[in-house]
């Protein structure tokens, strides 16, 4: 959910706090990861041997979301956290491409930029929780799901 500061003036302090947490998670700050995991662990419990997996970042030079995934497992969300897919090469930001009048990066282009690191990704029937700091149109999530055998190409 995205909250605009101008539409939710009464919630400004809460919105600012949440935005600080999100920014801290993106920068792999331990306090922000702990707080985000605390709140996210209340949202959903997975049953069975669920794998908690960070979605690859668009830029390969940004910290992974693996620390957040591990913190979620510590709080009972899933049973294992691991990096199963990484980017071999960075991709352009879809937001910046659209601003320049170009098409956004498609799921196929994202998939081509990935490399699979672990065979655990393909374990049939194992629940998979994908953790991302941003999801707009779902192209990256779709690409990871296709690579895991959980979606059509």
């Amino acid at each position: 959910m995205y909250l605009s500061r101008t539409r939710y003036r009464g919630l400004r302090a809460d919105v600012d706090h949440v935005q600080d947490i999100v920014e801290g998670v993106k920068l792999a700050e331990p306090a922000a990861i702990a707080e985000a995991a605390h709140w996210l662990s209340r949202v959903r419990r997975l049953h069975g041997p669920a794998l908690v997996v960070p979605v690859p970042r668009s830029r390969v030079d940004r910290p992974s979301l693996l620390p957040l995934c591990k913190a979620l497992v510590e709080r009972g969300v899933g049973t294992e956290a691991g990096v199963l897919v990484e980017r071999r090469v960075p991709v352009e930001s879809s937001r910046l491409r659209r601003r320049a009048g170009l098409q956004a990066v498609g799921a196929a282009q994202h998939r081509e930029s990935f490399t699979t690191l672990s065979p655990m990704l393909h374990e049939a029937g194992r629940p998979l929780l994908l953790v991302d700091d941003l999801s707009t149109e779902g192209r990256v999530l779709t690409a990871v799901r296709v690579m895991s055998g959980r979606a059509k190409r």
Side-chain angles (χ1 to χ4, degrees), residues 129-141:
L129 174 64
L130 301 174
V131 177
D132 199 354
D133 62 345
L134 174 70
S135 180
T136 51
E137 296 174 10
R139 291 183 176 113
V140 177
L141 296 174

Side-chain angles (χ1 to χ4, degrees), residues 21 31-45 68 71-72 75 77:
I21 293 169
I33 289 169
E35 189 163 358
H38 168 76
W39 291 109
L40 291 172
S41 67
R42 297 170 179 263
V43 174
R44 178 154 188 219
R45 298 273 185 216
L68 177 58
L72 287 169
R75 286 162 178 79
V77 178

Side-chain angles (χ1 to χ4, degrees), residues 55-56 84-85 106-112 114-116 121-123 128 130 138-153:
V55 170
L84 304 178
V85 176
Q109 292 167 297
H110 282 292
R111 195 170 56 249
E112 291 168 6
F114 294 157
T115 184
T116 304
L121 185 63
H122 301 288
E123 290 181 18
L128 188 64
L130 301 174
R139 291 183 176 113
V140 177
L141 296 174
T142 299
V144 173
R145 288 183 61 223
V146 168
M147 288 190 73
S148 70
R150 290 168 170 82
K152 296 179 182 176
R153 287 185 184 264

Side-chain angles (χ1 to χ4, degrees), residues 17-129:
H17 181 67
V18 169
Q19 288 176 337
D20 289 344
I21 293 169
V22 170
E23 189 61 31
V25 167
K26 289 180 180 184
L27 298 173
E29 294 174 358
I33 289 169
E35 189 163 358
H38 168 76
W39 291 109
L40 291 172
S41 67
R42 297 170 179 263
V43 174
R44 178 154 188 219
R45 298 273 185 216
L46 299 175
H47 302 287
L51 209 48
V52 183
V53 178
V55 170
R57 310 295 292 271
S58 295
R59 292 177 29 197
V60 295
D61 62 337
R62 293 218 174 138
S64 168
L65 295 172
L66 183 59
L68 177 58
C69 295
K70 288 180 178 179
L72 287 169
V73 169
E74 288 172 6
R75 286 162 178 79
V77 178
T79 55
E80 186 177 359
V83 176
L84 304 178
V85 176
E86 277 189 341
R87 287 208 192 266
R88 288 180 282 119
V89 294
V91 295
E92 287 184 87
S93 161
S94 289
R95 179 176 50 96
L96 295 177
R97 288 181 57 84
R98 280 192 295 273
R99 282 185 182 169
L102 303 171
Q103 269 192 325
V105 178
Q109 292 167 297
H110 282 292
R111 195 170 56 249
E112 291 168 6
S113 74
F114 294 157
T115 184
T116 304
L117 298 179
S118 172
M120 294 173 6
L121 185 63
H122 301 288
E123 290 181 18
R126 187 168 189 187
L128 188 64
L129 174 64

